[in-house]
Amino acid sequence: LNLTVDQAGNLFIPKVGNVSVAGVRFSRLEGSLRNAVARVYRNFELAVSSGDLKTLSITVVGQARQPGVYALSSQGTVINALMAAGGPDSFGSMRQIKLKRRSGETQIIDLYGLLLTGDKVEDYRLQAGDVIHVPKAGPRVAVTGGVTRPAIYELVKGVYLNEALSMASGFSNDADTRRLTLDRTELNLGR
């Protein structure tokens, strides 16, 4: 059979019905289809190959390095689109990226989950016509000195000192944890 995955991510197999393949890696697709077909048929042979993958038109706007319209695979995700656009620029947020759907639904993506812990739970699969907006970054904190991962981190409301230290992966082995220095610069007040 020559089957096409529909917009909802399903394959319709006669006498078997709809089989959801959205999010299934190609390497696992044959096993997934074999399980579905085995509920109806016995002693069958199954081989899976892919044909043409459809592309989606996705728009990346705001503080991206290369905002524009991108043609991405129908299997593309928010991170794929951001990578195509070069990621957020030096003024862009990594914590408040907005995925806007044609339906009006909006999702907020915080890339720190991916960058700090490898968590891809917010890496949504793209749909045709999606718009990804990279807003201006929020307040930032520089964590330097005796920490494992010194860097400049973007804050969200309600972040405390221990959370900033956690983003920097805690103290390094040679850190003097008895003494911390907090320098704060405020608009019109200085340091």
Side-chain angles (χ1 to χ4, degrees), residues 47-66:
V48 176
S49 63
S50 68
D52 295 330
L53 292 176
K54 293 183 181 179
T55 58
L56 304 173
S57 180
I58 306 300
T59 305
V60 181
V61 297
Q63 298 295 146
R65 290 189 192 278
Q66 298 169 342

Side-chain angles (χ1 to χ4, degrees), residues 3 10-20 33 36-37 40-41:
L3 304 173
N10 296 317
L11 278 175
F12 178 77
I13 302 173
K15 296 186 181 179
V16 174
N18 280 327
V19 179
S20 178
L33 293 176
V37 173
V40 178
Y41 294 101

Side-chain angles (χ1 to χ4, degrees), residues 95-99 106-111 122 124:
R95 308 212 58 188
Q96 295 289 315
I97 296 168
K98 293 179 184 152
L99 169 63
T106 300
Q107 300 288 343
I108 305 293
I109 293 106
D110 184 348
L111 292 180
E122 294 182 357
Y124 300 100

Side-chain angles (χ1 to χ4, degrees), residues 27 31 50 87 110-111 154 160 172:
S27 61
S50 68
D110 184 348
L111 292 180
E154 185 179 350
Y160 295 94
S172 61

